[in-house]
Amino acid sequence: MKAQIKPRIDLQNRTKLETVIPLRTPFIINIDPSDKCNFRCKFCPTGDNELMKKTQGRGHGNMNFELYKKVIDDLGEFGDKIKVIRLYKDGEPLLNPYFAEMVQYAKKSGYCNRVDTTTNASLLNRELSLNIIDAGLDRINISVEGMNELQYADFSQYKIDFQKFVDNIRFFYEHRKQCEMIIKINGDILTEMEKQQFYNIFGDITDGIFIESIMDCWPMFEQKKVMINETRGIYGNEIKEVLVCPYVFYCLYINSDGSYSLCFLDWSRKMILGNAKTLSPKQVWNGTELKEYQKMFLRGERLSHPICKNCGQLKQGQPDNIDTFANSLLTNFET
């Protein structure tokens, strides 16, 4: 197998947040090309059509390209480069017909080091692959939701030609240029034989490969249709709850309608900070509301927050633990 076994996030070479925050420029800005998805995955609120119809602020669809260009242009206010512009949040990015143009515009802006995305790759035909590669995408994370048509139909309610799906991924890999590819799958629905099959099929047509676990990460969304893995975290990490959310200190999130969310798990749009139509990313990043939210964590008050208290991400998927530095970091924020 050519691919390295590694998760879609780097758990080894991470910046020690306690040495750099508060940041004057976020490391990562998530921009959602679309808040809709063509899959209906059991574990994901976006896949629940009835729930989305009832959720205010959802179902917007694709981000307007002119609004997207404004967001990218406004990043120039920071002065420092964004480490990563991540074209992904709630929906399937490739549903946006301007996805390749979005990649290209971000790359040509000079305001970021890298552009990446996460996709189910069901729409990844040869023409689109070449357009995305030529646009300069630096990394693509591909989520595989089964090892055959029946598993896709059951888990994602999607009819897929599995062999064509594999062939399209192989085509992207063979033409990827500088673009790194990571392929991952939920291993909790697989037998041991199917896990080996996963490695056999994809191990030579990707740079990185990983078997993840299901976790209950979305606050206010009850997982009824899947079993949560209580023995290992999503990346095979130890299950251990932290009080201080690390993400809010280095990431900023922009939904497909231009609204800013405090959290990448804000599927229900309960944590909105304004809209990119009237506020630049720098204004939101330096705004009082975000700063107070950050300080709430440093004061150890997460478990009293109506939404954040139920976050499974900080138990099963947290990449950083800065709890022991909370008091000193709070002093940094208040001076």
Side-chain angles (χ1 to χ4, degrees):
M1 185 174 72
K2 296 179 182 178
Q4 291 182 309
I5 297 178
K6 63 178 183 179
R8 52 192 155 124
I9 67 170
D10 188 349
L11 296 175
Q12 306 300 321
N13 304 300
R14 301 186 66 80
T15 299
K16 293 184 180 298
L17 292 178
E18 65 272 16
T19 67
V20 295
I21 58 178
L23 295 170
R24 65 179 186 179
T25 303
F27 286 163
I28 301 171
I29 293 188
N30 284 67
I31 305 173
D32 204 8
S34 178
D35 78 338
K36 291 187 175 182
C37 188
N38 56 334
F39 281 21
R40 300 288 174 261
C41 295
K42 291 180 178 181
F43 64 90
C44 179
T46 299
D48 188 330
N49 277 342
E50 292 304 311
L51 178 62
M52 292 299 98
K53 290 177 183 177
K54 300 174 185 177
T55 304
Q56 186 175 0
R58 291 304 304 265
H60 175 79
N62 296 331
M63 175 175 273
N64 177 278
F65 190 53
E66 292 304 314
L67 174 59
Y68 173 78
K69 290 195 290 185
K70 180 185 183 302
V71 170
I72 299 300
D73 293 344
D74 285 348
L75 294 181
E77 294 180 3
F78 279 113
D80 303 317
K81 282 189 176 184
I82 308 298
K83 286 190 175 183
V84 181
I85 291 178
R86 182 152 293 150
L87 296 179
Y88 169 73
K89 185 177 178 283
D90 292 308
E92 168 49 47
L94 301 189
L95 284 174
N96 193 313
Y98 294 100
F99 181 80
E101 287 85 348
M102 297 172 89
V103 174
Q104 183 179 57
Y105 196 84
K107 291 288 290 185
K108 287 189 173 181
S109 73
Y111 297 146
C112 65
N113 293 330
R114 294 170 41 209
V115 178
D116 71 20
T117 194
T118 296
T119 172
N120 62 41
S122 62
L123 305 175
L124 197 64
N125 57 44
R126 295 190 173 197
E127 180 182 4
L128 180 56
S129 290
L130 293 176
N131 289 340
I132 293 172
I133 293 167
D134 290 342
L137 187 69
D138 294 293
R139 181 168 178 169
I140 185 168
N141 300 313
I142 295 178
S143 300
V144 176
E145 304 299 350
M147 289 308 300
N148 52 58
E149 285 88 349
L150 290 177
Q151 286 184 343
Y152 265 85
D154 175 60
F155 194 73
S156 299
Q157 299 179 50
Y158 187 82
K159 185 177 181 180
I160 197 169
D161 182 330
F162 190 74
Q163 187 56 54
K164 184 177 180 180
F165 172 71
V166 173
D167 290 343
N168 284 334
I169 290 176
R170 179 181 291 107
F171 180 87
F172 191 102
Y173 176 75
E174 291 173 348
H175 295 79
R176 70 194 186 286
K177 296 180 182 177
Q178 87 290 344
C179 186
E180 182 185 20
M181 179 189 288
I182 305 293
I183 296 179
K184 56 92 172 179
I185 194 171
N186 161 34
D188 296 336
I189 66 169
L190 303 180
T191 65
E192 291 304 314
M193 183 178 296
E194 287 168 337
K195 291 177 183 178
Q196 188 57 53
Q197 183 185 13
F198 170 67
Y199 288 130
N200 292 342
I201 291 176
F202 296 103
D204 288 332
I205 56 172
T206 186
D207 300 301
I209 193 167
F210 199 75
I211 296 177
E212 294 185 351
S213 298
I214 291 181
M215 65 176 180
D216 188 10
C217 59
W218 282 284
M220 303 177 66
F221 177 70
E222 186 177 355
Q223 297 279 10
K224 298 178 180 178
K225 300 179 181 179
V226 295
M227 291 293 294
I228 305 303
N229 193 317
E230 300 289 352
T231 63
R232 68 193 293 264
I234 185 173
Y235 308 119
N237 52 300
E238 176 189 3
I239 293 179
K240 181 180 179 181
E241 190 164 15
V242 300
L243 291 178
V244 181
C245 173
Y247 301 100
V248 70
F249 294 96
Y250 67 89
C251 299
L252 190 61
Y253 310 99
I254 306 175
N255 301 310
S256 62
D257 64 350
S259 59
Y260 292 92
S261 277
L262 279 168
C263 176
F264 71 104
L265 299 172
D266 182 31
W267 66 269
S268 59
R269 303 296 187 267
K270 301 295 186 184
M271 306 166 76
I272 300 298
L273 290 170
N275 198 288
K277 296 173 184 176
T278 55
L279 293 173
S280 70
K282 185 176 181 180
Q283 287 175 303
V284 173
W285 186 250
N286 292 331
T288 301
E289 193 169 359
L290 178 57
K291 296 301 181 187
E292 287 302 314
Y293 185 62
Q294 292 170 330
K295 288 192 283 186
M296 178 272 293
F297 285 107
L298 297 177
R299 290 194 297 265
E301 299 171 0
R302 178 175 77 82
L303 296 182
S304 63
H305 190 279
I307 296 175
C308 298
K309 66 180 180 180
N310 296 316
C311 180
Q313 182 77 25
L314 299 183
K315 178 181 178 183
Q316 293 176 292
Q318 82 286 352
D320 308 285
N321 184 349
I322 55 175
D323 281 8
T324 57
F325 304 97
N327 288 335
S328 60
L329 291 174
L330 183 60
T331 301
N332 294 342
F333 272 80
E334 293 178 336
T335 55

